[in-house]
Amino acid sequence: MSYLDDILKSRRDTRHFTNDEVPDEVIEKALQAGHWAPSVGLTDATRYYIIKSPDVKYAVKNLFLDYNKKAEELTDNPEQKEHYKSLKLEAIEEAPIGLIIAYDRSVLNQFTIGTVGSNEAVKFSSVCAAQNIWLSLTEQGYGMGWVSILDYYQFKKILDLPENIEPLGYFCIGKPATNYDNQPMLQQLHWKQKSATPDCKEIKNINENHVLDSESKPQVKTEIKSDFSTLLQNKIDSKTKPVGALGTLETLAFQMATVFETLSPKIINPNIVVFAADHGIANHGVSAYPQDVTRQMVGNFLEGGAAINVFCNQNNIQLSIVDAGVNYDFPTNANLIHAKIAKGTQSFLHIPAMSETELQLCFEKGKSIVTAIAKTGSNCIGFGEMGIGNTSTASVLMSLLTGFSIEECVGKGTGVENEKLLQKQNLLKKAIQNYSGQAELNQQLAYFGGFEIIQMASGMLTAFENRMLILVDGFICSVAFLIASKINPDIHQNAVFCHCSAEKAHQKLLNYLNAKPILNLDLRLGEGTGCAVAFPILKSAEAFLNEMASFESAGISRK
């Protein structure tokens, strides 16, 4: 076995250090090793911060202790809890040197051909650097411990790290006081064992299960579906009421049962997902609010203060917030789904809003987000949005995809009126006239689309694939649905249009989609609020189908 193999097998999460100082040349050699690590797309995003100050170490340690206290409460086993509390899980003050290994997200704003524009890619590059530094220190007779039990938002705050710098954690460096028999702590405690060999499988074939074996399959499915529909309608009609007396509730119950493929449908783990992004067209004054309101409202969602938070809490609906392309870097530990394509689209007045690569990323991100939600067991998903300028984007897309004039598709949005509304209308008309691309869906979406709108369209298509009930909010979400329906018309089967917005063009779009909304409350807030407010009506449809007595069970005569 080589010396390198010995190093790779050695314990790497050092927790105890001697008082020996670490020579500057040791640190310099280790950091150079980190700099030699692979850098995806040569983004060169890794940043290092050295800490020797006792005051700074003390502040970091207190932050650790506060977070570690919360970690203790994650087990209900008293013996395990006491054992955990007795361990020395860090050496922040004891280690001679503290090191912060971080990555700079701002490098993604500087496009170079061959660069992979992904937050994850620059993060992985920095992890490679951390590994190289550990290898170098170990080879020189030193050790490094990784402290990740931290509130990263507070961590950045107390160290005054720039917004674009994202730390992997706090690393303790010094001479190891013990080698712990070269076993990780969790393994010594018999809490968890590392597998002896790597998990590796060879993939030899592609999955071709989606290809139908014969043309007879759709016919068989249609026959089964027809039998199911007859049974379902009989169940609805046999309830103790005149046929059709529950109106839209009966339609919703039939739809819900058909989507879930059961005569006793039940909504499980409902989730409303709010996609947020900024739009370059907002720089031309098409909104009554400045662009920064997008970022401020996402903060409001995360703090629980928005209308959608209130309505989701009221109806016990899970709320998920997605950063699809807000012009701001949120902390990595913020309670949102990081799916940022870029910091807002370009202005489509003169140039494409996004590249074809960014468009493809939107479809991938939207699919990934909804797939993850479906895996939680959720079978009902609502779509909401937030983005200053997105009614302008939606209006142009509606005009292009329906053939309606832009005048028929433009509304107040956040509240522009009179002369400002006319300016907005003329500006969007000019943008369409400037477009010289083909009348091909993907090209139109890339030129005029918004990151959140395309991610919603992709998410809706994915929800359909996962047999989920799709709750469509107002005007902008309906445009996202319009896009999805152009790709797969069958998606209509799963869609519930929750309300008719006060936005002028929404009723026209609903008519185009042949959609009948549940509510008409003059809402035009977005955020998925219409989905949340309409949700109790869906629960009523579910309840009557599953719990209401039939004529037979109640012993009541039919007419």
Side-chain angles (χ1 to χ4, degrees), residues 163-469:
E163 189 67 40
N164 54 293
I165 298 297
E166 298 297 344
L168 301 180
Y170 183 96
F171 296 81
C172 303
I173 296 175
K175 274 275 188 186
T178 175
N179 66 7
Y180 298 87
D181 296 323
N182 280 330
Q183 283 191 337
M185 181 186 68
L186 294 176
Q187 193 162 314
Q188 290 180 67
L189 297 174
H190 305 293
W191 288 359
K192 192 171 184 180
Q193 294 295 316
K194 186 176 181 66
S195 57
T197 57
D199 185 338
C200 179
K201 298 175 183 176
E202 180 183 358
I203 298 176
K204 298 180 179 179
N205 301 299
I206 61 172
N207 181 6
E208 296 182 347
N209 288 340
H210 64 282
V211 179
L212 293 173
D213 294 332
S214 67
E215 295 182 1
S216 62
K217 283 192 176 181
Q219 183 179 353
V220 172
K221 189 172 182 180
T222 302
E223 291 171 359
I224 295 172
K225 187 174 180 180
S226 178
D227 292 341
F228 174 82
S229 297
T230 301
L231 290 171
L232 176 58
Q233 191 61 57
N234 287 340
K235 181 177 180 179
I236 293 172
D237 292 343
S238 70
K239 299 297 182 181
T240 50
K241 60 173 180 58
V243 172
L246 284 177
T248 299
L249 290 181
E250 296 190 25
T251 305
L252 290 172
F254 188 94
Q255 181 183 16
M256 194 185 308
T258 302
V259 170
F260 298 161
E261 297 182 351
T262 174
L263 295 174
S264 302
K266 185 171 179 60
I267 293 174
I268 301 169
N269 298 341
N271 198 316
I272 291 178
V273 190
V274 180
F275 292 77
D278 279 306
H279 297 250
I281 196 67
N283 296 326
H284 300 282
V286 294
S287 173
Y289 291 86
Q291 188 183 80
D292 197 44
V293 169
T294 305
R295 186 266 302 176
Q296 293 168 357
M297 280 304 300
V298 171
N300 194 22
F301 297 150
L302 299 178
E303 293 294 325
I308 188 59
N309 299 97
V310 173
F311 298 142
C312 281
N313 289 339
Q314 175 192 13
N315 295 308
N316 197 27
I317 302 170
Q318 176 71 35
L319 177 63
S320 302
I321 309 299
V322 177
D323 174 11
V326 181
N327 187 18
Y328 181 75
D329 286 324
F330 295 98
T332 52
N333 64 334
N335 187 27
L336 52 72
I337 298 171
H338 297 275
K340 191 191 297 289
I341 306 298
K343 291 182 178 178
T345 57
Q346 301 296 316
S347 170
F348 56 68
L349 184 59
H350 301 296
I351 60 174
M354 67 181 88
S355 67
E356 291 188 16
T357 299
E358 288 174 327
L359 176 67
Q360 186 58 38
L361 277 173
C362 284
F363 278 105
E364 291 173 6
K365 294 283 188 183
K367 180 174 183 176
S368 174
I369 290 164
V370 175
T371 297
I373 291 172
K375 286 181 179 178
T376 68
S378 173
N379 61 5
C380 178
I381 184 169
F383 290 84
E385 43 63 41
M386 175 63 213
I388 296 300
N390 64 4
T391 54
S392 294
T393 301
S395 296
V396 172
L397 290 172
M398 174 182 168
S399 177
L400 290 170
L401 299 182
T402 63
F404 295 134
S405 69
I406 190 65
E407 290 83 358
E408 297 174 280
C409 302
V410 176
K412 294 180 180 180
T414 50
V416 292
E417 296 184 284
N418 305 324
E419 186 179 342
K420 286 275 288 182
L421 183 59
L422 186 61
Q423 289 175 0
K424 175 180 176 181
Q425 181 178 295
N426 290 336
L427 186 113
L428 299 182
K429 190 172 185 178
K430 183 179 179 182
I432 293 175
Q433 290 170 347
N434 289 342
Y435 177 61
S436 58
Q438 298 178 7
E440 193 269 327
L441 181 62
N442 276 4
Q443 286 199 354
Q444 292 175 330
L445 296 181
Y447 198 96
F448 293 103
F451 295 140
E452 83 280 33
I453 295 175
I454 308 303
Q455 287 192 22
M456 281 195 294
S458 174
M460 290 174 182
L461 290 165
T462 307
F464 174 73
E465 292 170 5
N466 284 277
R467 298 205 309 271
M468 302 172 82
L469 204 60

Side-chain angles (χ1 to χ4, degrees), residues 144-184:
M144 182 168 79
W146 189 336
V147 181
S148 59
I149 304 177
L150 295 165
D151 180 325
Y152 279 76
Y153 178 75
Q154 292 298 328
F155 185 50
K156 287 180 63 173
K157 197 171 181 181
I158 65 172
L159 297 177
D160 197 25
L161 293 178
E163 189 67 40
N164 54 293
I165 298 297
E166 298 297 344
L168 301 180
Y170 183 96
F171 296 81
C172 303
I173 296 175
K175 274 275 188 186
T178 175
N179 66 7
Y180 298 87
D181 296 323
N182 280 330
Q183 283 191 337

Side-chain angles (χ1 to χ4, degrees), residues 113-129:
I113 189 167
T115 296
V116 179
S118 162
N119 282 355
E120 295 302 304
V122 295
K123 182 190 299 183
F124 297 155
S125 296
S126 296
V127 173
C128 290

